Amino acid sequence: MTERPSAAELWPVLSEGVRDKLLAYGHKHWQQVYEDVALQSQNWIPLRSPVATRAGYDEMNRITQRVSQLVLDACRRRARTAGELRQVLQVPADRIQLLDETEPLTGRLINAIRSDLLLEQGIPRMVECNVESALGGVLDADGVIKRWMDVYAGEPLFRAIGAAAPPSAIDARYDAIRSDVGPGKVTAMLFTAGGGYPGADRPNYMINRLKPFADRGRELGVDLVVYPVEWVEQDADGRLMAGEQTIDAVWRMFVPPFVNDSPGLQALRLANKAGTFRMYLPTAVWLLSNKTIFAWLWDDLDELPEEDAEIVRAHIPRTWIYGPELRQRTLNEREHLVFKPTDDYGGHGVFIGPQTSTEGWAEALDAAQGPHVIQELIEADPLTMQFLKPETGEVVEADVSYCVSTYLFDRIPAGVFTRFSPPGAGGVVNLTQGALTGGLLLVNGELT
């Protein structure tokens, strides 16, 4: 097998001069960089972004591109339409809002991807392949790394190592939306006021906060209106309205199983059924994020070309569909497993074996409702990160849990969302559970 580039985070091998400069800039500019970033906890602020080589970034994107296609292929081997796939995945009929069960399983469904990668000795291991139009983290991932690059501008030491940001995920997503919905269309970015994003419960605040984001969309040919789904209405002809504007397309920025019912959602249902707008993307994409599919990829190894089978073996943790026949084995091997619901997000219901007591593990297995998987525990590389405690000025360096998320829009790599735990936190790395966020600083491979 050809040796692949390492995606390891580079702090341990950076020169002392580069490390000192990164932290000095962090101390001086952290308020500018993290202004209005959507963090659930403000108790600790990272003083830098994680660092990787361009070759490592390319390797993560290579894996993400191929796995997303393998996910679609695995679904197509079992179903022709969204409705058939829903049934095979044992997803209840009323679980996914706005689902067209006749939607064919075409390549359009993998036009927005975010992989969640843990690094194990520098090798990317994909624990989730998120397939959604409502992919989180884009705004803050782009914003944080752009602001770091702004404060680094003019620093010779950083120029010498080729320090740069990945391509913009914001711009790439707008390109994908424009391509999907067509030119000259009024597109509503519909968010839910009941969502977990900080500030979403204040719709006018969110609309104002996202104005620069909407302005950037218009610069790139997407006539964007930011609007809460709870407020949309239908006109006399059944067309969807955002205030005074008629909507031609909807960019759905809410997760279809987790949006509260409202008059606005009902209007959206009726307009969707009548076909009066185009949706980016159809809610059938949610099915492709189902964690059962990783178990299918392992089950299908003998049907795959050797190159694809090697991608699965090397980069997807061994995954099994959980059932009563696996209970004793799951109890016996707790220290080496993770237990997950197949149809949830945000780290909800995830139990990491070695961080769960024997009793708690058994209780989780017995209390689980709906399909679950068990997954091989990845011995993930920690991130050595430096944190500032704003209220005291205290700085702490700690080894914390770390996840790298790479984006694809229209199959094109763009942007990186990194998440890491604050000092003393547990192993589930998710913003809703207090994780911190940063972009990814890319450098040349030769750092000496």
Side-chain angles (χ1 to χ4, degrees):
M1 183 179 70
T2 304
E3 185 175 351
R4 304 300 309 180
S6 171
E9 204 273 333
L10 297 179
W11 183 259
V13 300
L14 293 175
S15 71
E16 184 177 357
V18 170
R19 289 189 291 189
D20 287 346
K21 281 287 186 182
L22 284 169
L23 294 183
Y25 277 91
H27 278 283
K28 186 175 182 179
H29 297 287
W30 67 267
Q31 288 175 302
Q32 173 185 339
V33 170
Y34 278 91
E35 181 182 5
D36 209 23
V37 172
L39 302 179
Q40 296 283 0
S41 171
Q42 301 285 347
N43 293 329
W44 295 99
I45 299 293
L47 289 176
R48 63 179 181 88
S49 279
V51 187
T53 64
R54 286 173 172 78
Y57 172 64
D58 291 343
E59 174 68 357
M60 289 187 281
N61 286 321
R62 178 188 75 91
I63 294 162
T64 301
Q65 285 176 311
R66 194 59 203 148
V67 169
S68 63
Q69 183 63 53
L70 292 176
V71 163
L72 178 61
D73 292 345
C75 294
R76 283 170 156 170
R77 284 191 287 273
R78 293 163 172 84
R80 296 166 300 169
T81 66
E84 291 179 6
L85 182 59
R86 178 189 61 73
Q87 293 179 53
V88 174
L89 290 169
Q90 301 180 53
V91 175
D94 59 353
R95 169 77 166 161
I96 301 176
Q97 296 284 352
L98 309 169
L99 181 65
D100 177 1
E101 299 234 333
T102 68
E103 179 85 38
L105 304 184
T106 69
R108 182 181 179 228
L109 299 184
I110 55 170
N111 278 359
I113 302 291
R114 193 192 80 193
S115 63
D116 286 351
L117 304 167
L118 302 181
L119 303 178
E120 188 174 34
Q121 299 182 24
I123 298 172
R125 306 294 304 276
M126 188 184 296
V127 291
E128 291 188 12
C129 183
N130 301 286
V131 187
E132 250 293 345
S133 62
L135 296 172
V138 172
L139 186 62
D140 289 329
D142 260 28
V144 167
I145 192 60
K146 178 184 183 299
R147 290 189 291 273
W148 278 128
M149 295 308 302
D150 287 345
V151 301
Y152 297 157
E155 172 54 58
L157 194 58
F158 296 148
R159 287 203 304 271
I161 62 174
S168 169
I170 290 174
D171 289 3
R173 180 149 63 179
Y174 277 129
D175 289 344
I177 292 170
R178 187 183 62 249
S179 175
D180 189 87
V181 307
K185 306 293 186 183
V186 176
T187 300
M189 191 197 89
L190 297 185
F191 68 92
T192 174
Y197 193 88
D201 58 336
R202 294 174 285 153
N204 285 319
Y205 162 80
M206 285 296 292
I207 291 168
N208 290 330
R209 181 176 187 265
L210 294 175
K211 185 179 183 301
F213 181 62
D215 291 344
R216 179 58 178 162
R218 294 186 191 98
E219 292 173 5
L220 295 172
V222 178
D223 187 1
L224 192 73
V225 179
V226 178
Y227 213 68
V229 65
E230 289 83 1
W231 291 2
V232 295
E233 299 176 318
Q234 284 182 290
D235 66 12
D237 297 321
R239 299 288 303 277
L240 208 59
M241 302 292 293
E244 299 298 317
Q245 292 189 274
T246 303
I247 298 172
D248 301 308
V250 165
W251 167 14
R252 182 181 48 75
M253 278 297 288
F254 57 85
V255 182
F258 300 98
V259 56
N260 294 328
D261 206 357
S262 67
L265 185 60
Q266 178 61 13
L268 188 62
R269 285 193 198 101
L270 293 172
N272 183 58
K273 189 173 182 180
T276 66
F277 67 89
R278 182 169 177 84
M279 192 184 301
Y280 179 87
L281 287 160
T283 62
V285 297
W286 177 259
L287 293 165
L288 274 70
S289 294
N290 193 291
K291 298 168 185 65
T292 297
I293 300 169
F294 275 13
W296 289 352
L297 290 177
W298 277 92
D299 291 343
D300 294 353
L301 278 182
D302 291 344
E303 302 179 46
L304 302 180
E306 181 51 34
E307 183 177 355
D308 289 338
E310 182 55 35
I311 288 271
V312 174
R313 286 191 291 262
H315 301 292
I316 294 179
R318 185 70 173 92
T319 307
W320 299 264
I321 299 169
Y322 179 75
E325 72 283 0
L326 293 179
R327 184 179 186 278
Q328 191 57 52
R329 177 184 171 187
T330 304
L331 290 171
N332 294 343
E333 300 180 14
R334 171 181 60 84
E335 291 282 339
H336 307 287
L337 297 173
V338 179
F339 185 59
K340 299 180 177 182
T342 62
D343 185 34
D344 212 327
Y345 82 120
H348 303 140
V350 175
F351 291 86
I352 299 174
Q355 297 180 16
T356 307
S357 68
T358 302
E359 296 78 13
W361 186 253
E363 289 172 4
L365 298 184
D366 294 340
Q369 296 186 4
H372 280 64
V373 295
I374 49 174
Q375 196 170 72
E376 166 197 7
L377 177 69
I378 302 303
E379 299 293 337
D381 304 337
L383 173 72
T384 301
M385 179 55 71
Q386 300 72 35
F387 300 92
L388 174 73
K389 196 166 190 175
E391 63 181 28
T392 65
E394 177 187 4
V395 175
V396 169
E397 181 173 274
D399 288 347
V400 296
S401 301
Y402 174 49
C403 180
V404 186
S405 293
T406 54
Y407 297 101
L408 298 178
F409 295 107
D410 261 357
R411 321 296 176 90
I412 299 171
V416 179
F417 183 42
T418 55
R419 289 163 291 161
F420 34 91
S421 301
V428 177
V429 187
N430 194 277
L431 294 188
T432 61
Q433 301 185 25
L436 302 169
T437 181
L440 187 68
L441 183 67
L442 302 182
V443 299
N444 298 329
E446 300 78 25
L447 298 174
T448 57

